[in-house]
Amino acid sequence: MTEVVVRGNPGSLIQLDQCQKCGGIWCDKWELFPVDFSEADRLEPMDEKRLREAVKLPAKKLDCPRCADELHVFADPILPKDIQLSRCRHCDGIWLNRGQFHRYKDFQRHTREAKMDETSLLRQLSKKLINPEAWVLTGTKGLYAYPRGEEESDETVKQSVSGAAKLIVETLVRTILGL
């Protein structure tokens, strides 16, 4: 497989893997969803008519290119029947046969357009761009940086440490006394 870099939302770059033989695309955990819609045209530029036709997944067993676990067809009731994704249950990566990536991104774009008008989209995008802490970064092994959560107070940390210490001492006393 060859590494291909695509634009993500908002303004990040995501590294996907594409098979040069069959045109299929491998997305590590969380890489499929933020990819920009226009990237589908660039990744699957072959025969457009053929790409848009629904293709059944092969009957042969497919293995995950990351962990060699078996891939399973992912059935989501929200997705149209012509979009067939194979998912690794171990590392959560997703395999898309040639044409599936384009169909998925078209479905994602139409769903977003139906739910939001252009003004709402621009308003949300401008909020995200202003606040870099809300950005999600992805890499070749999937999601590795999350938006920062709230910091825990010192009191919460003290309670957690004292609770853990108490549990350890109780376990040791029970082990020694044979309870």
Side-chain angles (χ1 to χ4, degrees):
M1 290 211 270
T2 304
E3 295 174 349
V4 282
V5 177
V6 295
R7 287 179 315 202
N9 300 324
S12 61
L13 295 176
I14 301 169
Q15 187 174 330
L16 303 178
D17 301 292
Q18 186 171 29
C19 177
Q20 293 303 304
K21 189 175 180 181
C22 70
I25 297 173
W26 175 259
C27 300
D28 290 315
K29 184 176 184 179
W30 299 111
E31 287 181 341
L32 173 63
F33 312 107
V35 173
D36 191 70
F37 308 120
S38 63
E39 292 295 321
D41 291 331
R42 189 173 63 83
L43 287 179
E44 297 180 327
M46 299 167 202
D47 183 2
E48 255 188 70
K49 183 179 177 186
R50 200 169 150 216
L51 286 175
R52 295 187 187 272
E53 293 173 3
V55 177
K56 290 273 187 196
L57 290 174
K60 69 178 184 176
K61 179 183 137 190
L62 296 175
D63 293 327
C64 173
R66 293 284 179 245
C67 65
D69 197 9
E70 184 178 353
L71 297 179
H72 298 276
V73 175
F74 177 71
D76 187 337
I78 295 173
L79 293 176
K81 300 264 187 256
D82 68 333
I83 298 176
Q84 298 175 351
L85 311 175
S86 294
R87 181 177 159 262
C88 176
R89 293 181 182 171
H90 184 260
C91 69
D92 290 327
I94 295 176
W95 173 259
L96 300 103
N97 280 347
R98 185 178 62 188
Q100 295 295 321
F101 184 79
H102 207 289
R103 275 193 281 287
Y104 178 82
K105 285 299 167 182
D106 282 347
F107 171 75
Q108 191 180 32
R109 183 180 63 238
H110 292 308
T111 303
R112 180 175 284 178
E113 287 171 356
K115 289 185 176 185
M116 304 178 94
D117 62 348
E118 285 185 33
T119 309
S120 300
L121 285 172
L122 289 173
R123 196 174 306 124
Q124 280 194 353
L125 181 61
S126 64
K127 286 179 185 176
K128 296 289 184 196
L129 289 174
I130 291 170
N131 181 12
E133 290 184 1
W135 297 2
V136 177
L137 306 174
T138 60
T140 59
K141 301 294 184 246
L143 200 64
Y144 65 83
Y146 298 88
R148 293 187 186 132
E150 294 181 25
E151 298 222 2
E152 293 187 22
S153 68
D154 288 339
E155 186 62 34
T156 305
V157 173
K158 287 178 185 175
Q159 287 176 351
S160 297
V161 170
S162 68
K166 190 177 188 181
L167 183 64
I168 291 169
V169 170
E170 286 178 6
T171 305
L172 287 171
V173 169
R174 286 182 181 171
T175 304
I176 293 170
L177 297 177
L179 297 175

